[in-house]
Amino acid sequence: MSFRDRQEPASGYEELSFGGGDPDREPRLQVWLRAHVRLLTACAVVLALLGAAGIGGRYLYERSREPLPPPDVPASARMRIVVHLCGQYVEAWSCIGRDEATDADGRAIAARMRAMPELTDVTFVSKEEDGRRALAYYTAIGEPERADELFFHASVEATLRRGGDFAAVSARLREIPGVVTVLRELPDVWAGKADLAVALCAEEERQPRGCGREDRRALAGAPASEAEKKAVLDRLWDLPGVERVYLRDREDLTWLKRQYEPQDPAEHVTPRTERTRQTFYVKLSDPAGLAAVAGAVKHLPGVGGVFPIGLSG
């Protein structure tokens, strides 16, 4: 048996070499790298830019989901007040020894208030109108049945030209037969800027609906945790139609209340639930989606309640 003679390369070395062999012959890889150094540099720069863009994009994405601070509120000398008239069934609105105020009583009280130089924009609100407002308020968040749980009464709304006159004016108004109490209202700075308020649980003696739920029983009486707050915020951003989300802290509310403190220290503001806790204020692209957004977040842990903006409840 014979074999074909093995042919050796003419030079005695392999054609492709990566560093071994002929010391006088430069490896082809080095030749290729030198020939394409600009291309490799450009690729390295592109990869670095892509990495930086990815990190920067993630940072911008996270920042874009942070809530905005509340809008600036210039202090106003004027103040809205509500004169509540005698009602029935609820002790807070009942007058000892007096029947429920009639529409005629309310209009007569409104007429007396219009004659007071300290007041302007006086409006009588009947018991029926109070009920219609409450129904619209709860219908907006998809809970019209809650209006059936309430008792309604008449009132008179007005604007006090100077907030410093509140103590003297309210004392005079409480002397009018048929008036049960006079309360101030904090200015509604969110009208036109937000459509929905999502109030978070707070550390208070009386908890709003939802903060004592079974799924956070271990946190009963505790404010919403940072994890709960972030989960609520993330859920809001994931919902269609959410354009902007603001966060109002207690510090912001404290500042606002101080601008409208009455002269009489015995008097105090009794703001609605969403105005006493950390609250997300949500602006929607279409307010018609308010009920759907409210329904998606009102049962989340850490949420004390949801409230439509611009409606009286």
Side-chain angles (χ1 to χ4, degrees):
M1 181 180 293
S2 63
F3 297 92
R4 181 178 299 179
D5 293 338
R6 184 176 179 181
Q7 300 294 323
E8 297 291 338
S11 64
Y13 297 98
E14 294 291 340
E15 184 67 22
L16 289 177
S17 175
F18 293 91
D22 187 353
D24 297 327
R25 187 181 183 91
E26 187 174 21
R28 292 184 62 186
L29 178 60
Q30 293 183 12
V31 175
W32 186 89
L33 290 175
R34 183 179 294 108
H36 298 84
V37 63
R38 291 186 177 180
L39 175 62
L40 292 173
T41 301
C43 290
V45 171
V46 169
L47 289 175
L49 290 175
L50 288 175
I55 296 173
R58 182 65 184 178
Y59 172 77
L60 293 175
Y61 172 76
E62 294 291 344
R63 287 295 302 272
S64 70
R65 291 171 70 90
E66 291 182 1
L68 299 170
D72 292 332
V73 184
S76 173
R78 296 192 170 199
M79 177 190 299
R80 289 293 292 174
I81 65 172
V82 181
V83 179
H84 294 274
L85 308 185
C86 299
Q88 288 182 331
Y89 308 114
V90 180
E91 182 178 355
W93 308 125
S94 299
C95 299
I96 299 176
R98 288 191 62 89
D99 294 331
E100 182 178 25
T102 64
D103 285 359
D105 295 332
R107 292 191 178 92
I109 293 172
R112 293 183 62 173
M113 291 173 61
R114 292 189 184 98
M116 298 174 65
E118 299 92 343
L119 299 176
T120 185
D121 300 329
V122 178
T123 303
F124 169 64
V125 179
S126 67
K127 177 180 178 179
E128 290 71 24
E129 176 61 20
D130 189 30
R132 284 191 290 269
R133 289 182 177 184
L135 180 60
Y137 182 86
Y138 288 111
T139 299
I141 57 174
E143 299 180 352
E145 67 281 357
R146 289 185 61 182
D148 296 333
E149 305 170 5
L150 306 176
F151 295 100
F152 307 108
H153 64 283
S155 63
V156 183
E157 300 172 344
T159 297
L160 192 62
R161 297 181 190 274
R162 293 179 60 255
D165 293 334
F166 175 78
V169 171
S170 62
R172 288 163 55 192
L173 291 172
R174 286 195 296 267
E175 293 176 355
I176 300 176
V179 173
V180 61
T181 190
V182 181
L183 298 178
R184 301 174 310 140
E185 283 195 343
L186 291 178
D188 189 358
V189 302
W190 295 101
K193 299 181 179 68
D195 301 293
L196 179 70
V198 182
L200 302 176
C201 298
E203 188 173 356
E204 295 183 358
E205 184 175 347
R206 293 185 61 189
Q207 292 294 316
R209 289 176 55 157
C211 292
R213 287 189 296 265
E214 186 173 353
D215 56 358
R216 71 186 313 267
R217 180 170 295 173
L219 298 173
S225 67
E226 289 301 314
E228 288 175 332
K229 186 162 63 174
K230 185 178 185 305
V232 174
L233 180 61
D234 288 343
R235 182 69 178 116
L236 284 170
W237 279 125
D238 290 340
L239 294 172
V242 172
E243 281 190 346
R244 291 187 296 277
V245 180
Y246 301 86
L247 175 63
R248 161 147 279 170
D249 282 317
R250 287 186 172 186
E251 292 77 10
D252 302 310
L253 178 63
T254 300
W255 178 89
L256 185 62
K257 288 178 65 176
R258 284 175 178 170
Q259 309 308 308
Y260 294 88
E261 279 297 323
Q263 294 178 350
D264 182 357
E267 297 289 347
H268 63 280
V269 176
T270 308
R272 295 202 303 266
T273 302
E274 73 271 28
R275 294 179 180 172
T276 58
R277 293 166 172 81
Q278 274 195 322
T279 303
F280 289 120
Y281 288 87
V282 185
K283 178 63 178 175
L284 304 176
S285 58
D286 183 3
L290 190 151
V293 174
V297 299
K298 66 183 179 182
H299 295 304
L300 293 178
V303 173
V306 293
F307 309 89
I309 301 298
L311 295 175
S312 299

